[in-house]
Amino acid sequence: MLYIFKKYMELFPFIIIMFSISFGMFLIIFKRNNLAMLLNSVLGILSTIFYLLFFKDKLLFKNNFFFHFDKFSVFFSLLILFTILITSIFVYFYLDEKKLYIEEYYILLLLFLLGSISLSFSKHISVFFISIEIITLSTVALIYFFNNHKNTVEASLKYMIFSSFSSAFILFGFGIIYFITGKLEYENLYLIINQLEIYKKISIFIGISIILLSVFFKMSLFPFHFIFPDIYQVSTPLYLICFSTVNKLSFFSFLIYLFSSTSILNTNFFYNLVQIFSLLSIFFGNLLALFQKNVNRLLGYTSISQIGCLMITVLSLNRFTFSLENMFFYFLNYVICNICLFGAMTILKKGYIYREIDNKFFKKNIFSNMFYTYPLLSISLFIVFFSLSGMPLTIGFINKIYILSYSIYNNFWILTLSIIISSIFGTYIYFKIIISFYNEISDVKMNRVRFSFIENILEFFIFIFSITLILYNFFLFYRLFFEKFFNKILFY
Amino acid sequence: MIPFLIVIPFFGGIISWFSQKYSDKLPRCVALISIILMFLINLIMFLNNFFEKLFFSYKIFFNNNFSIVCIKNLGINFSLYCDRFSLYMIFITILLGLLSITFSYNKSYKNPGMFYLNILFLISSIIGSFLSTDLFFFFLFLEIMIFPVCFLNFFWGNNKNSKKNNFDYIKNFFLHSQVSSIILLFSILLLVNYYHSINGIWTFNFDILKTVFVHKNFLENLILYGFLFSFIIKLPSVPFHTWFPNMIMYSPKGNCVDLIGFLSKVGVYGLLRFFIPISGNILYKIQVFMIFLGIINVFYGAFMASIKNNLKHILSYINISHIGIIMLSIFNLNNLSYEGLLLYIISSTISSSAIFALSNKIYEKFNTYDLRKMGGLWKELNFVPNFFLFFTLSNFGLPGTGNFIGEILIFIGFFLLYPKISAFFTISIIFFVFCSLKMFHRIFYGNLKNYSKNFDLNFIETLLILFFMFLLILIGLFPNFIFYKFNFLDIFLVNCS
């Protein structure tokens, strides 16, 4: 038994999640119960988190044929597990009153989790491809799950068609690589690439660039962004908690491993390619968000520019002095902000009877009347928007300074200009949203429905998460404690 | 002792916000107490600065320096330094805070805790920007300053029509200040990177950073022009002044207006502290242009003030022309004009803020700012017309007040540089006299028009206004006590020669 455990140690996170999925299915067959499903999924996720935290030192040296373990992938998978844990708690809150077939939502979420974790650990094409397919299938179902908008079917179909196209392109790119190198895993590809002749090298680069472009589609960078605002508009904020974070984090983990294994960023062509895409998405994401009237759509456009900033932090790895630390904090900031924002939106959407949010942006949106009905929630959202726009006293400000100083340090003048302009636009947009918290609407529908116990607890949770964005500053004064703490968890 | 000046209003604001639960009157008491505490601390620091042997045994508490390591990798320290100039600026800020809180003391606001929290945060951020020598924290305080102003104007703003209408003016202000602050951040980071590329050390400390300038690079010129541009937007100079009058027009009913007006003095402080010490040859290149811009400011402000019919608009345009005189004296580079500058900043802010406070009292009489609907207040009230007359006279430089001496020193310094232009420039005084006397005549003389209530200044308000008058006359009669053991030129014009 111990021998089996030691030999297949690295597979246990996936096994635990699969076990909780199948156990949940059995639960549905015997008796439908919301609370039991919640406990099942929470137990599964918590046990994987503790497993990864306790055995991470041993897992690092157990590189499998299919999976790799390094500090980036462990960090990203921990973030993914954390977000899914919180979304499942929100699901329990949200599904409380709905009657029919609601327990399947947990299983779809766990499938989504399985796909994204295996993607972040993957180093073989088969695992990579299977996990992408699991993610797309679960995403299509999750977008369509609450059919509360007239365009949900359209958005989910669009997502399915385009993502199948992009996965076909990924297969094509890996096919080119396999044709030349004869390898299906992408570990240490640079050893082979360096020995090849020039025309073979060029064809491998073409294959990698096809893979990169299709991955950029999945992450909704600028020229491939067009269906993502539709999804943001249509789907419930409950699903957006994980869609806005997990879907991107897993691909970032994959990209970091691809960059390090093929070392393509040392060539100028790929470096400029990735930089141009991130630059365009930084600029145009906030520019297009200026003209939006719908709040969800607007948030979708701003998330594009945030992802551009995240790409630049990934690009700055090993090129700037504090890039590693900065990257970890940027991702933490992104995840916490998105959890707080969309979690607050789920509470609001359930708390008010008023459910149509397509009306005029300034006068009536989901946030209006919020300061008087949910004061604690409005403060936490206030902090979140400050941090997203990079205002001082939050993590976002320090991240903005890191990015700007990186681009100035390397003399990327166009990049600095686009960051500056987009940050002006972004602060303007977020300021507009913050102002709309305080709109008083004397409408009976906009009053708070009830003060349930779970709602108060979730409100308090969101408040604590948002406070951590500020507490970072006070940690800075106790630098020694901080360094030890993070060396233990992250930089082992 | 120094960090208390930032910490006390910060925590006072938070306490006042929490005290809103228990009663509506508690927040303003908390705000008043915290402001008075700051005033006492500032007085102790003044005494310590003037008479060094007084608190000699407690020198640890009354130190001028304060620094904590904040981010070790980038060399960011939370470092504060306090010399005589920043002490004067802080003194004015605290006085204006006292004025704004006492003049809005008897009014009932919708959310009093949040209101006083915004005012106290604004005061703490202004004081922080005056104290910090680290460029990172200077930028941080400048950035925080924007938000309380926006919230004050949006939620408690004085606009009868709609909030949507008010939002347009705030949008204008917000975009201007965002553009200026992001250009400032860009040039600060350029400066830090430039220092790192030469010496290999990351610091944000300005005293170290200013030694790097050689004045031959393109990069240095870019940094300097960035600083200049951002500060020119902050002090509303002519092409970028459009946010200023409407922002003051639609500010809350109490008297936090003068704090908004005081934002412009932060720009002046930034020019003096962070632009002039590092600008060597560039200062002589742009001198003519900047003086020309200052003259345009003065005449444009006076012209608009004589045209407009709105009381707040007139006062704000007069403020813009004051800023023109300040710009002119900054770029004169004379010892005389620099001494006049300090006197002029202190006395003009005191007099103009007092006028703003009194104009709010007049608004409560007539319920409009429109001059055409006013008239005949002289017979009705005892205190307000007399005080208003005194402060308008001192605003255009009555002999015996501080404004007069500052203006005279600035004009003499300007005369030494360009005699013919300065002789022409003295016409501007007539413009000032014209517009302010016209305003005074419209309000206080003529037929009495209908108004709502009958009241006058409080006891505390009269005391405060009397204190302001006393200060103005003190500066006017004994201007030398400001320059006691204090050479203004040595601090700023180190590299200019």
Short mmCIF file of all heavy atoms in Angstrom, two decimals, chain A residues 322 325 379 382 386 391-392 397 401 404-405 408-409 413 420 423 427-428 431-432 435 438 440 476-477, chain B residues 17 68 70 73-74 110 136 139-140 143 147 150-151 154-155 167 171 178 182 185 189-190 193 196:
data_model
loop_
_atom_site.label_atom_id
_atom_site.label_comp_id
_atom_site.label_asym_id
_atom_site.label_seq_id
_atom_site.Cartn_x
_atom_site.Cartn_y
_atom_site.Cartn_z
N PHE A 322 12.88 42.33 -9.72
CA PHE A 322 11.93 41.81 -8.72
C PHE A 322 10.74 41.15 -9.38
O PHE A 322 9.65 41.13 -8.86
CB PHE A 322 11.43 42.94 -7.83
CG PHE A 322 12.45 43.97 -7.60
CD1 PHE A 322 12.34 45.22 -8.16
CD2 PHE A 322 13.56 43.66 -6.84
CE1 PHE A 322 13.31 46.14 -7.96
CE2 PHE A 322 14.53 44.59 -6.65
CZ PHE A 322 14.41 45.83 -7.20
N GLU A 325 8.69 37.93 -7.56
CA GLU A 325 7.84 38.33 -6.43
C GLU A 325 6.63 39.12 -6.92
O GLU A 325 5.49 38.87 -6.52
CB GLU A 325 8.68 39.18 -5.51
CG GLU A 325 8.11 39.48 -4.18
CD GLU A 325 9.01 40.42 -3.42
OE1 GLU A 325 10.06 40.82 -3.98
OE2 GLU A 325 8.67 40.75 -2.30
N ILE A 379 -18.05 49.03 0.83
CA ILE A 379 -16.68 49.41 1.19
C ILE A 379 -15.68 48.45 0.57
O ILE A 379 -14.66 48.86 0.01
CB ILE A 379 -16.53 49.43 2.72
CG1 ILE A 379 -17.34 50.56 3.32
CG2 ILE A 379 -15.08 49.60 3.12
CD1 ILE A 379 -17.65 50.35 4.75
N PHE A 382 -15.34 49.07 -3.02
CA PHE A 382 -14.58 50.32 -3.15
C PHE A 382 -13.09 50.03 -3.17
O PHE A 382 -12.36 50.47 -4.06
CB PHE A 382 -14.95 51.16 -1.92
CG PHE A 382 -14.52 52.57 -1.96
CD1 PHE A 382 -15.29 53.50 -2.59
CD2 PHE A 382 -13.37 52.96 -1.33
CE1 PHE A 382 -14.91 54.81 -2.60
CE2 PHE A 382 -12.98 54.28 -1.34
CZ PHE A 382 -13.76 55.20 -1.98
N PHE A 386 -10.40 50.29 -6.34
CA PHE A 386 -9.17 51.05 -6.17
C PHE A 386 -7.97 50.21 -6.56
O PHE A 386 -7.07 50.69 -7.25
CB PHE A 386 -9.04 51.49 -4.71
CG PHE A 386 -9.47 52.90 -4.47
CD1 PHE A 386 -10.66 53.35 -5.00
CD2 PHE A 386 -8.70 53.76 -3.74
CE1 PHE A 386 -11.06 54.63 -4.79
CE2 PHE A 386 -9.10 55.06 -3.53
CZ PHE A 386 -10.28 55.49 -4.06
N MET A 391 -4.76 52.44 -7.60
CA MET A 391 -4.68 53.61 -6.73
C MET A 391 -3.77 53.28 -5.56
O MET A 391 -3.59 52.12 -5.21
CB MET A 391 -6.07 53.95 -6.20
CG MET A 391 -6.92 54.68 -7.19
SD MET A 391 -6.21 56.26 -7.58
CE MET A 391 -6.13 56.15 -9.33
N PRO A 392 -3.17 54.30 -4.94
CA PRO A 392 -2.26 54.05 -3.83
C PRO A 392 -2.93 53.39 -2.64
O PRO A 392 -4.16 53.41 -2.52
CB PRO A 392 -1.73 55.43 -3.46
CG PRO A 392 -2.57 56.37 -4.17
CD PRO A 392 -3.12 55.69 -5.34
N PHE A 397 -1.45 49.38 -6.83
CA PHE A 397 -0.56 50.51 -7.05
C PHE A 397 0.88 50.04 -7.19
O PHE A 397 1.60 50.48 -8.11
CB PHE A 397 -0.68 51.46 -5.86
CG PHE A 397 0.21 52.65 -5.93
CD1 PHE A 397 0.15 53.50 -7.00
CD2 PHE A 397 1.10 52.91 -4.92
CE1 PHE A 397 0.96 54.61 -7.06
CE2 PHE A 397 1.93 54.02 -4.97
CZ PHE A 397 1.85 54.86 -6.05
N ILE A 401 3.37 50.24 -10.48
CA ILE A 401 4.72 50.83 -10.46
C ILE A 401 5.74 49.84 -10.98
O ILE A 401 6.63 50.20 -11.76
CB ILE A 401 5.06 51.31 -9.04
CG1 ILE A 401 4.50 52.70 -8.86
CG2 ILE A 401 6.55 51.31 -8.79
CD1 ILE A 401 4.86 53.34 -7.61
N LEU A 404 5.35 49.66 -14.84
CA LEU A 404 5.83 50.88 -15.50
C LEU A 404 7.35 50.95 -15.43
O LEU A 404 8.01 51.29 -16.41
CB LEU A 404 5.22 52.11 -14.82
CG LEU A 404 4.06 52.79 -15.52
CD1 LEU A 404 3.57 53.94 -14.72
CD2 LEU A 404 4.50 53.25 -16.89
N SER A 405 7.92 50.59 -14.25
CA SER A 405 9.36 50.71 -14.13
C SER A 405 10.05 49.64 -14.98
O SER A 405 11.13 49.88 -15.52
CB SER A 405 9.79 50.60 -12.68
OG SER A 405 9.30 49.43 -12.11
N ILE A 408 9.98 51.07 -18.49
CA ILE A 408 10.92 52.19 -18.65
C ILE A 408 12.36 51.68 -18.62
O ILE A 408 13.21 52.14 -19.37
CB ILE A 408 10.69 53.23 -17.55
CG1 ILE A 408 9.37 53.96 -17.78
CG2 ILE A 408 11.79 54.26 -17.51
CD1 ILE A 408 8.96 54.83 -16.63
N TYR A 409 12.59 50.69 -17.74
CA TYR A 409 13.94 50.13 -17.58
C TYR A 409 14.45 49.53 -18.87
O TYR A 409 15.63 49.64 -19.20
CB TYR A 409 13.87 49.08 -16.48
CG TYR A 409 15.17 48.43 -16.13
CD1 TYR A 409 16.12 49.12 -15.38
CD2 TYR A 409 15.43 47.12 -16.50
CE1 TYR A 409 17.30 48.52 -15.05
CE2 TYR A 409 16.61 46.51 -16.16
CZ TYR A 409 17.55 47.21 -15.43
OH TYR A 409 18.73 46.63 -15.09
N TRP A 413 9.05 52.30 -25.10
CA TRP A 413 8.31 53.56 -24.94
C TRP A 413 6.85 53.43 -25.32
O TRP A 413 5.97 54.04 -24.71
CB TRP A 413 8.98 54.68 -25.73
CG TRP A 413 10.36 54.92 -25.24
CD1 TRP A 413 11.52 54.70 -25.90
CD2 TRP A 413 10.72 55.41 -23.95
NE1 TRP A 413 12.59 55.01 -25.10
CE2 TRP A 413 12.13 55.45 -23.92
CE3 TRP A 413 10.02 55.81 -22.82
CZ2 TRP A 413 12.84 55.88 -22.80
CZ3 TRP A 413 10.71 56.23 -21.72
CH2 TRP A 413 12.11 56.27 -21.71
N ILE A 420 0.11 54.00 -19.68
CA ILE A 420 -0.30 55.28 -19.09
C ILE A 420 -1.72 55.64 -19.54
O ILE A 420 -2.60 55.94 -18.72
CB ILE A 420 0.69 56.38 -19.49
CG1 ILE A 420 1.96 56.26 -18.67
CG2 ILE A 420 0.09 57.75 -19.30
CD1 ILE A 420 3.07 57.13 -19.16
N SER A 423 -4.35 53.31 -18.18
CA SER A 423 -4.61 53.46 -16.74
C SER A 423 -5.48 54.68 -16.48
O SER A 423 -6.32 54.67 -15.57
CB SER A 423 -3.31 53.56 -15.96
OG SER A 423 -2.73 54.81 -16.15
N THR A 427 -9.02 54.17 -14.62
CA THR A 427 -9.42 54.85 -13.38
C THR A 427 -10.73 55.60 -13.59
O THR A 427 -11.57 55.64 -12.70
CB THR A 427 -8.36 55.85 -12.92
OG1 THR A 427 -7.87 56.54 -14.06
CG2 THR A 427 -7.25 55.16 -12.21
N TYR A 428 -10.89 56.15 -14.79
CA TYR A 428 -12.13 56.87 -15.08
C TYR A 428 -13.33 55.93 -15.03
O TYR A 428 -14.36 56.25 -14.42
CB TYR A 428 -12.02 57.55 -16.44
CG TYR A 428 -13.30 58.20 -16.87
CD1 TYR A 428 -13.84 59.24 -16.14
CD2 TYR A 428 -13.96 57.75 -18.00
CE1 TYR A 428 -15.01 59.82 -16.52
CE2 TYR A 428 -15.14 58.34 -18.38
CZ TYR A 428 -15.66 59.37 -17.64
OH TYR A 428 -16.83 59.95 -18.01
N PHE A 431 -14.00 54.73 -11.48
CA PHE A 431 -14.56 55.85 -10.70
C PHE A 431 -16.05 56.01 -10.99
O PHE A 431 -16.85 56.26 -10.09
CB PHE A 431 -13.80 57.12 -11.05
CG PHE A 431 -14.27 58.32 -10.31
CD1 PHE A 431 -14.04 58.43 -8.95
CD2 PHE A 431 -14.94 59.33 -10.94
CE1 PHE A 431 -14.48 59.53 -8.26
CE2 PHE A 431 -15.37 60.44 -10.27
CZ PHE A 431 -15.14 60.53 -8.91
N LYS A 432 -16.40 55.83 -12.28
CA LYS A 432 -17.81 55.92 -12.66
C LYS A 432 -18.63 54.85 -11.95
O LYS A 432 -19.72 55.13 -11.45
CB LYS A 432 -17.91 55.72 -14.18
CG LYS A 432 -18.70 56.77 -14.92
CD LYS A 432 -18.39 56.63 -16.38
CE LYS A 432 -19.62 56.66 -17.22
NZ LYS A 432 -19.32 56.43 -18.63
N ILE A 435 -19.00 55.71 -8.23
CA ILE A 435 -19.98 56.77 -8.00
C ILE A 435 -21.39 56.19 -8.06
O ILE A 435 -22.29 56.59 -7.32
CB ILE A 435 -19.81 57.87 -9.06
CG1 ILE A 435 -18.58 58.72 -8.78
CG2 ILE A 435 -21.03 58.77 -9.12
CD1 ILE A 435 -18.73 59.67 -7.66
N TYR A 438 -23.75 54.94 -5.05
CA TYR A 438 -24.44 55.84 -4.16
C TYR A 438 -25.71 56.42 -4.75
O TYR A 438 -26.32 57.29 -4.17
CB TYR A 438 -23.51 56.99 -3.74
CG TYR A 438 -22.26 56.52 -3.06
CD1 TYR A 438 -21.15 56.16 -3.79
CD2 TYR A 438 -22.19 56.42 -1.70
CE1 TYR A 438 -20.00 55.73 -3.18
CE2 TYR A 438 -21.06 55.99 -1.07
CZ TYR A 438 -19.97 55.64 -1.82
OH TYR A 438 -18.84 55.21 -1.20
N GLU A 440 -29.27 56.90 -5.29
CA GLU A 440 -30.45 56.52 -4.55
C GLU A 440 -31.60 56.33 -5.53
O GLU A 440 -31.93 57.23 -6.29
CB GLU A 440 -30.82 57.60 -3.55
CG GLU A 440 -30.11 57.45 -2.24
CD GLU A 440 -30.55 58.51 -1.28
OE1 GLU A 440 -30.05 59.63 -1.37
OE2 GLU A 440 -31.41 58.21 -0.46
N LEU A 476 4.48 45.29 4.62
CA LEU A 476 5.76 45.77 4.08
C LEU A 476 6.65 46.31 5.18
O LEU A 476 7.87 46.23 5.10
CB LEU A 476 5.51 46.86 3.05
CG LEU A 476 5.05 46.38 1.70
CD1 LEU A 476 4.78 47.55 0.81
CD2 LEU A 476 6.11 45.51 1.09
N PHE A 477 6.05 46.86 6.22
CA PHE A 477 6.85 47.41 7.30
C PHE A 477 7.49 46.30 8.12
O PHE A 477 8.51 46.51 8.76
CB PHE A 477 5.99 48.30 8.19
CG PHE A 477 5.61 49.58 7.53
CD1 PHE A 477 4.34 49.79 7.04
CD2 PHE A 477 6.55 50.57 7.38
CE1 PHE A 477 4.02 50.96 6.43
CE2 PHE A 477 6.22 51.76 6.76
CZ PHE A 477 4.94 51.96 6.29
N TRP B 17 -16.35 58.62 11.51
CA TRP B 17 -17.26 57.82 10.70
C TRP B 17 -17.99 56.79 11.56
O TRP B 17 -19.19 56.56 11.39
CB TRP B 17 -16.48 57.14 9.58
CG TRP B 17 -17.31 56.30 8.70
CD1 TRP B 17 -18.50 56.64 8.14
CD2 TRP B 17 -17.04 54.97 8.28
NE1 TRP B 17 -18.97 55.61 7.38
CE2 TRP B 17 -18.10 54.57 7.45
CE3 TRP B 17 -15.99 54.10 8.49
CZ2 TRP B 17 -18.15 53.33 6.84
CZ3 TRP B 17 -16.03 52.86 7.90
CH2 TRP B 17 -17.11 52.48 7.08
N ILE B 68 11.12 55.44 7.98
CA ILE B 68 10.97 54.00 8.19
C ILE B 68 11.23 53.34 6.84
O ILE B 68 10.80 53.86 5.81
CB ILE B 68 9.55 53.65 8.65
CG1 ILE B 68 9.26 54.25 10.01
CG2 ILE B 68 9.35 52.16 8.72
CD1 ILE B 68 7.83 54.02 10.45
N CYS B 70 10.43 51.05 3.97
CA CYS B 70 9.14 50.52 3.53
C CYS B 70 9.30 49.37 2.55
O CYS B 70 8.93 48.26 2.83
CB CYS B 70 8.33 51.65 2.91
SG CYS B 70 6.69 51.15 2.50
N ASN B 73 13.71 46.56 -1.52
CA ASN B 73 14.28 46.30 -2.84
C ASN B 73 14.34 47.55 -3.70
O ASN B 73 15.32 47.80 -4.38
CB ASN B 73 13.45 45.25 -3.56
CG ASN B 73 13.61 43.90 -2.95
OD1 ASN B 73 14.61 43.65 -2.29
ND2 ASN B 73 12.64 43.04 -3.15
N LEU B 74 13.27 48.32 -3.66
CA LEU B 74 13.22 49.51 -4.51
C LEU B 74 13.76 50.74 -3.80
O LEU B 74 13.81 51.82 -4.37
CB LEU B 74 11.78 49.77 -4.97
CG LEU B 74 11.32 49.00 -6.18
CD1 LEU B 74 9.86 49.25 -6.43
CD2 LEU B 74 12.11 49.42 -7.38
N LYS B 110 -26.30 64.96 5.19
CA LYS B 110 -27.04 63.70 5.10
C LYS B 110 -26.30 62.57 5.80
O LYS B 110 -26.85 61.83 6.57
CB LYS B 110 -27.28 63.36 3.62
CG LYS B 110 -28.30 62.27 3.43
CD LYS B 110 -28.52 61.99 1.97
CE LYS B 110 -29.60 62.86 1.37
NZ LYS B 110 -29.77 62.58 -0.05
N PHE B 136 8.07 58.71 -3.95
CA PHE B 136 7.00 57.71 -3.97
C PHE B 136 5.83 58.17 -3.10
O PHE B 136 4.68 58.19 -3.53
CB PHE B 136 7.56 56.38 -3.47
CG PHE B 136 6.58 55.26 -3.45
CD1 PHE B 136 6.38 54.50 -4.57
CD2 PHE B 136 5.88 54.95 -2.30
CE1 PHE B 136 5.50 53.44 -4.56
CE2 PHE B 136 5.01 53.90 -2.28
CZ PHE B 136 4.82 53.15 -3.41
N PHE B 139 3.99 61.30 -4.38
CA PHE B 139 3.01 60.95 -5.41
C PHE B 139 1.79 60.30 -4.81
O PHE B 139 0.66 60.57 -5.22
CB PHE B 139 3.65 60.01 -6.43
CG PHE B 139 2.69 59.50 -7.43
CD1 PHE B 139 2.25 60.30 -8.45
CD2 PHE B 139 2.17 58.23 -7.33
CE1 PHE B 139 1.33 59.86 -9.35
CE2 PHE B 139 1.26 57.76 -8.23
CZ PHE B 139 0.84 58.58 -9.24
N LEU B 140 2.03 59.42 -3.82
CA LEU B 140 0.93 58.71 -3.18
C LEU B 140 -0.06 59.68 -2.54
O LEU B 140 -1.27 59.58 -2.75
CB LEU B 140 1.51 57.78 -2.13
CG LEU B 140 0.66 56.71 -1.48
CD1 LEU B 140 1.51 55.48 -1.27
CD2 LEU B 140 0.18 57.17 -0.15
N GLU B 143 -2.08 61.56 -5.05
CA GLU B 143 -3.09 60.74 -5.70
C GLU B 143 -4.30 60.56 -4.78
O GLU B 143 -5.44 60.59 -5.24
CB GLU B 143 -2.46 59.40 -6.04
CG GLU B 143 -3.27 58.52 -6.93
CD GLU B 143 -3.07 58.83 -8.39
OE1 GLU B 143 -2.59 59.92 -8.68
OE2 GLU B 143 -3.40 57.97 -9.21
N PHE B 147 -9.56 61.94 -4.39
CA PHE B 147 -10.82 61.24 -4.15
C PHE B 147 -11.74 61.92 -3.16
O PHE B 147 -12.93 62.03 -3.42
CB PHE B 147 -10.53 59.79 -3.78
CG PHE B 147 -10.10 59.02 -4.96
CD1 PHE B 147 -8.77 58.87 -5.24
CD2 PHE B 147 -11.02 58.50 -5.84
CE1 PHE B 147 -8.36 58.20 -6.36
CE2 PHE B 147 -10.62 57.83 -6.96
CZ PHE B 147 -9.29 57.68 -7.23
N CYS B 150 -13.55 64.70 -4.90
CA CYS B 150 -14.60 64.22 -5.80
C CYS B 150 -15.84 63.81 -5.01
O CYS B 150 -16.96 64.17 -5.37
CB CYS B 150 -14.11 63.03 -6.61
SG CYS B 150 -12.92 63.46 -7.83
N PHE B 151 -15.63 63.07 -3.91
CA PHE B 151 -16.78 62.59 -3.15
C PHE B 151 -17.51 63.74 -2.49
O PHE B 151 -18.74 63.77 -2.46
CB PHE B 151 -16.34 61.57 -2.12
CG PHE B 151 -15.92 60.28 -2.74
CD1 PHE B 151 -14.74 59.67 -2.38
CD2 PHE B 151 -16.70 59.69 -3.71
CE1 PHE B 151 -14.35 58.50 -2.97
CE2 PHE B 151 -16.32 58.52 -4.31
CZ PHE B 151 -15.14 57.92 -3.94
N PHE B 154 -19.56 65.39 -5.06
CA PHE B 154 -20.64 64.62 -5.66
C PHE B 154 -21.80 64.44 -4.70
O PHE B 154 -22.96 64.64 -5.06
CB PHE B 154 -20.14 63.26 -6.12
CG PHE B 154 -21.17 62.50 -6.88
CD1 PHE B 154 -21.48 62.86 -8.17
CD2 PHE B 154 -21.86 61.47 -6.29
CE1 PHE B 154 -22.44 62.19 -8.88
CE2 PHE B 154 -22.83 60.79 -6.99
CZ PHE B 154 -23.11 61.15 -8.29
N PHE B 155 -21.51 64.09 -3.44
CA PHE B 155 -22.59 63.71 -2.54
C PHE B 155 -23.17 64.89 -1.78
O PHE B 155 -24.34 64.91 -1.47
CB PHE B 155 -22.13 62.65 -1.57
CG PHE B 155 -21.65 61.44 -2.27
CD1 PHE B 155 -20.36 61.01 -2.12
CD2 PHE B 155 -22.49 60.77 -3.12
CE1 PHE B 155 -19.91 59.92 -2.80
CE2 PHE B 155 -22.06 59.68 -3.79
CZ PHE B 155 -20.76 59.25 -3.65
N PHE B 167 -21.98 65.58 -12.00
CA PHE B 167 -20.97 64.58 -12.34
C PHE B 167 -20.09 65.03 -13.49
O PHE B 167 -18.92 64.68 -13.55
CB PHE B 167 -21.66 63.27 -12.69
CG PHE B 167 -20.72 62.16 -12.98
CD1 PHE B 167 -19.94 61.62 -11.97
CD2 PHE B 167 -20.60 61.65 -14.25
CE1 PHE B 167 -19.07 60.60 -12.22
CE2 PHE B 167 -19.72 60.63 -14.51
CZ PHE B 167 -18.96 60.10 -13.50
N LYS B 171 -16.09 64.95 -13.52
CA LYS B 171 -15.39 64.21 -14.56
C LYS B 171 -14.24 65.03 -15.13
O LYS B 171 -13.12 64.55 -15.29
CB LYS B 171 -16.40 63.88 -15.66
CG LYS B 171 -16.03 62.76 -16.55
CD LYS B 171 -17.25 62.28 -17.32
CE LYS B 171 -17.70 63.28 -18.35
NZ LYS B 171 -18.89 62.83 -19.07
N GLN B 178 -5.97 63.15 -13.10
CA GLN B 178 -5.39 61.85 -13.45
C GLN B 178 -4.26 62.01 -14.45
O GLN B 178 -3.20 61.41 -14.31
CB GLN B 178 -6.46 60.93 -14.04
CG GLN B 178 -7.23 60.15 -13.02
CD GLN B 178 -6.32 59.34 -12.15
OE1 GLN B 178 -5.49 58.60 -12.65
NE2 GLN B 178 -6.45 59.49 -10.85
N ILE B 182 -0.45 60.95 -13.60
CA ILE B 182 0.22 59.83 -14.28
C ILE B 182 1.48 60.34 -14.99
O ILE B 182 2.47 59.62 -15.07
CB ILE B 182 -0.74 59.10 -15.23
CG1 ILE B 182 -0.28 57.66 -15.43
CG2 ILE B 182 -0.81 59.71 -16.57
CD1 ILE B 182 -1.02 56.69 -14.65
N LEU B 185 4.02 60.44 -12.28
CA LEU B 185 4.53 59.10 -11.95
C LEU B 185 5.53 58.64 -13.00
O LEU B 185 6.60 58.10 -12.67
CB LEU B 185 3.36 58.12 -11.88
CG LEU B 185 3.73 56.66 -11.62
CD1 LEU B 185 4.32 56.51 -10.25
CD2 LEU B 185 2.54 55.77 -11.77
N LEU B 189 9.46 57.77 -12.25
CA LEU B 189 10.07 56.47 -12.53
C LEU B 189 11.23 56.60 -13.50
O LEU B 189 12.24 55.91 -13.38
CB LEU B 189 9.02 55.50 -13.09
CG LEU B 189 8.02 55.00 -12.07
CD1 LEU B 189 6.99 54.13 -12.71
CD2 LEU B 189 8.74 54.23 -10.99
N LEU B 190 11.09 57.54 -14.46
CA LEU B 190 12.21 57.81 -15.38
C LEU B 190 13.42 58.27 -14.60
O LEU B 190 14.54 57.82 -14.84
CB LEU B 190 11.81 58.91 -16.36
CG LEU B 190 11.38 58.52 -17.76
CD1 LEU B 190 11.16 59.76 -18.58
CD2 LEU B 190 12.43 57.67 -18.39
N ASN B 193 14.96 55.38 -12.64
CA ASN B 193 15.68 54.47 -13.53
C ASN B 193 16.97 55.08 -14.04
O ASN B 193 17.97 54.39 -14.21
CB ASN B 193 14.79 54.08 -14.71
CG ASN B 193 14.02 52.83 -14.41
OD1 ASN B 193 14.62 51.82 -14.10
ND2 ASN B 193 12.73 52.92 -14.46
N HIS B 196 19.45 54.80 -11.39
CA HIS B 196 19.91 53.40 -11.27
C HIS B 196 20.86 53.03 -12.38
O HIS B 196 21.81 52.28 -12.18
CB HIS B 196 18.70 52.46 -11.28
CG HIS B 196 19.08 51.02 -11.29
ND1 HIS B 196 18.99 50.24 -12.41
CD2 HIS B 196 19.57 50.22 -10.31
CE1 HIS B 196 19.40 49.02 -12.13
NE2 HIS B 196 19.76 48.98 -10.86
#
